[in-house]
Amino acid sequence: MTIFNLFKIGIGPSSSHTVGPMLIANEFCKLIKNNNYFDKLDNIKIELFGSLGSTGIGHHSDVAVLLGLLGENPKEVDIDTIEEKISKIINSSTIKLLNEKEINFSFENDLILHKNKSLPFHPNAIKLSIYGNQEILFSKIYYSIGGGEILCEDDINKKSTKEKEVLYDFKNAKELLRMAKENELKISELILENERTYKNKEQIKKDLLNIWQVMKDSVKNGLVQDGILPGGLNVKKRSFKIHKKLKEEDGHDPIVFMDWINLYALAVNEENASGHRVVTAPTNGAAGIIPAVLHYIITFLLKEENEEEVVIDFLLTAGAIGLLYQKNASISGADVGCQGEVGVACSMAAAGMANYLGATIEQIENAAEIGMEHNLGLTCDPIAGLVQIPCIERNAMAAVKAVNAARMAIIGDGKHYVSLDSVIKTMYDTGKDMQNKYKETSLGGLAVHYVEC
Ligand code: SF4
């Protein structure tokens, strides 16, 4: 498992509902092309199940699937051309698969969102079927399992063939800490060694800095965008005005740094809600927390240190914690609620922050544990299925919480009652016990109890 599965460059508003579906449609098209179905097929049907069916429209899953069929991918798609591409498909009632094979396509009938049907393996399921002469030629089910990761039905019980053996194959936090200690490595150094299984050191650092660049761009772009977020809720963007106000501050407010942390997170998540480019960290819904904490470090705390080294160290440490959640729980809101998205991002950011503050590995583990412990039970109930309320503000709250968790951990000696492994298990069990209406279906919580003004 690589940390680059946690930090993926894509577009908003959702990693599981936008990035994942685009990748699935793209992969399916390549599969049918490679199996020589392009000459025989004349129709394609896509069915979205579970959470994708319930909140797919608000999360742009429909748009994402169509883009994937065209051959687009989340990392490179030109966001300025998306509207035009989708309008062309709808107005012409045709689609050009992988920009190569043109077939008739009805947006109303060939893309089906099942609001009350789920498939057993995971709440985010997509079935794609192709037809020739009105007979089914081929069909496949895929799952979008969180953070933009996808899984084909054929691979459910297989260990991924892409998964290579890493040097330090830790299964949980206890093993991670033991291996780091035994080998006298920092957590970030241990992860760097593991990442060398996939690419050389220079490439790893280059890719991490590229991720940081996209994070910085998402903050920068968010700060200059004013207006209303798309989707119909008429939620006003706040970053532009807050930024203007903060720049005018006289600098006497001792807690003003908190406003800046909030601002960085809001900026990223407003970009995400606008369908613009962000980095999953570890998901799109929670994309603002790690960039906000990193911006706080770089802007307010950095002294003599080298920015690039600090960023790389932070992302490697945060990535280690993210891997623990991916291995032993879930980072999908549709699977375990928002604790799996915002909670995990908070835990990752707390670890990265503690590492920057010079924490021992025990204190880093403690910071990550605190970061999750106080997010346990956090439900996913986005109003109107849009990744806006409570998502945007929630990132700001969690970013500040991550800084607090790191500071609490660093004051202590690393000894604490609840281990990170216990809190990860608790998060997962709590998520599994959580009613479906609180897991990215918009059928409960804030999604049904807000008053429209
Ligand atoms: S409530 Fe949390 S998990 Fe749900 S969409 Fe918003 S950020 Fe994602």
Side-chain angles (χ1 to χ4, degrees):
M1 269 185 171
T2 162
I3 59 164
F4 289 98
N5 285 344
L6 299 160
F7 301 121
K8 282 209 278 295
I9 299 166
I11 58 164
S14 166
S15 38
S16 54
H17 289 55
T18 320
V19 174
M22 199 188 306
L23 292 171
I24 287 171
N26 188 307
E27 188 166 308
F28 180 76
C29 270
K30 285 182 185 151
L31 185 68
I32 54 171
K33 185 190 166 190
N34 293 340
N35 284 290
N36 303 318
Y37 284 114
F38 265 21
D39 293 339
K40 304 169 208 153
L41 81 107
D42 47 41
N43 187 227
I44 187 164
K45 272 205 182 348
I46 307 106
E47 295 170 79
L48 274 56
F49 294 90
S51 173
L52 291 178
S54 309
T55 63
I57 299 294
H59 286 62
H60 303 185
S61 307
D62 50 349
V63 170
V65 165
L66 298 184
L67 289 171
L69 295 179
L70 292 176
E72 298 287 354
N73 69 70
K75 192 176 174 184
E76 289 158 334
V77 62
D78 178 357
I79 51 173
D80 296 329
T81 62
I82 293 176
E83 218 175 297
E84 187 193 321
K85 286 185 173 112
I86 302 303
S87 301
K88 194 174 164 201
I89 296 170
I90 297 172
N91 297 334
S92 68
S93 296
T94 61
I95 190 162
K96 212 170 187 182
L97 304 179
L98 296 182
N99 205 20
E100 214 180 301
K101 166 77 181 172
E102 190 161 70
I103 54 169
N104 290 332
F105 184 81
S106 160
F107 184 68
E108 286 77 30
N109 303 321
D110 294 335
L111 179 58
I112 304 149
L113 280 82
H114 295 290
K115 293 210 183 328
N116 296 310
K117 257 198 218 171
S118 296
L119 298 187
F121 175 70
H122 193 280
N124 295 331
I126 301 185
K127 183 176 179 186
L128 301 103
S129 313
I130 48 168
Y131 299 81
N133 288 329
Q134 297 186 346
E135 292 207 351
I136 187 148
L137 298 174
F138 186 72
S139 176
K140 208 49 80 202
I141 295 169
Y142 291 83
Y143 299 92
S144 178
I145 55 175
E149 284 291 285
I150 62 171
L151 188 67
C152 177
E153 57 179 334
D154 303 334
D155 298 329
I156 289 175
N157 295 317
K158 281 190 217 156
K159 205 176 168 192
S160 170
T161 44
K162 289 176 223 156
E163 229 176 87
K164 294 187 189 162
E165 196 99 338
V166 291
L167 187 57
Y168 300 107
D169 191 15
F170 57 89
K171 288 181 187 54
N172 50 38
K174 194 177 170 194
E175 287 188 12
L176 170 66
L177 262 59
R178 178 179 55 74
M179 288 177 187
K181 264 189 175 169
E182 279 174 5
N183 294 284
E184 295 180 9
L185 293 169
K186 284 172 67 177
I187 289 175
S188 55
E189 291 167 339
L190 184 148
I191 295 298
L192 184 62
E193 285 306 314
N194 277 359
E195 291 297 327
R196 287 179 64 198
T197 313
Y198 309 100
K199 44 186 134 169
N200 66 44
K201 224 183 234 182
E202 285 63 43
Q203 193 60 46
I204 296 165
K205 292 185 175 179
K206 201 171 154 210
D207 290 351
L208 286 172
L209 291 174
N210 190 29
I211 281 163
W212 172 229
Q213 187 57 50
V214 179
M215 286 178 172
K216 281 201 287 190
D217 290 345
S218 58
V219 168
K220 204 166 103 197
N221 295 336
L223 295 182
V224 294
Q225 306 273 341
D226 204 5
I228 305 284
L229 291 169
L233 269 184
N234 292 327
V235 174
K236 283 192 190 120
K237 294 184 184 178
R238 284 182 278 178
S239 315
F240 178 77
K241 288 194 181 74
I242 297 176
H243 187 217
K244 210 165 157 258
K245 201 162 171 272
L246 284 179
K247 281 195 296 183
E248 287 159 7
E249 291 279 329
D250 55 13
H252 285 99
D253 182 352
I255 207 165
V256 75
F257 70 90
M258 200 161 86
D259 296 334
W260 282 95
I261 299 172
N262 287 334
L263 175 67
Y264 300 134
L266 294 177
V268 176
N269 286 84
E270 286 177 355
E271 278 295 278
N272 180 57
S274 305
H276 295 166
R277 185 143 277 124
V278 295
V279 178
T280 63
T283 67
N284 274 30
I289 296 158
I290 285 176
V293 175
L294 254 175
H295 272 80
Y296 165 61
I297 291 173
I298 301 303
T299 315
F300 287 87
L301 307 181
L302 203 70
K303 291 186 184 84
E304 301 294 301
E305 312 98 302
N306 176 293
E307 175 181 326
E308 292 190 348
E309 281 168 21
V310 167
V311 168
I312 289 167
D313 220 34
F314 183 104
L315 292 176
L316 288 167
T317 311
I321 303 305
L323 288 178
L324 294 171
Y325 286 97
Q326 230 183 13
K327 284 176 194 226
N328 300 302
S330 171
I331 57 165
S332 162
D335 200 15
V336 292
C338 197
Q339 48 171 4
E341 298 205 11
V342 163
V344 172
C346 180
S347 183
M348 291 168 70
M353 175 82 198
N355 177 64
Y356 172 75
L357 294 174
T360 62
I361 52 173
E362 287 85 2
Q363 288 170 323
I364 292 173
E365 186 251 6
N366 191 189
E369 185 275 320
I370 297 171
M372 173 53 79
E373 190 178 314
H374 307 288
N375 278 301
L376 286 175
L378 197 64
T379 58
C380 170
D381 51 0
I383 294 177
L386 298 165
V387 193
Q388 297 179 9
I389 306 173
C391 320
I392 298 173
E393 215 169 75
R394 186 167 285 177
N395 273 255
M397 298 300 291
V400 172
K401 198 185 275 190
V403 172
N404 196 16
R407 295 185 67 89
M408 282 179 84
I410 202 121
I411 285 173
D413 58 7
K415 292 197 188 108
H416 52 110
Y417 282 101
V418 181
S419 70
L420 178 56
D421 285 327
S422 302
V423 93
I424 291 173
K425 176 151 181 20
T426 308
M427 184 278 268
Y428 193 52
D429 289 350
T430 306
K432 288 294 163 195
D433 288 342
M434 204 180 268
Q435 285 187 36
N436 227 23
K437 63 181 180 177
Y438 300 116
K439 294 196 275 192
E440 216 157 353
T441 54
S442 289
L443 297 172
L446 281 177
V448 296
H449 289 298
Y450 83 102
V451 181
E452 236 171 320
C453 305

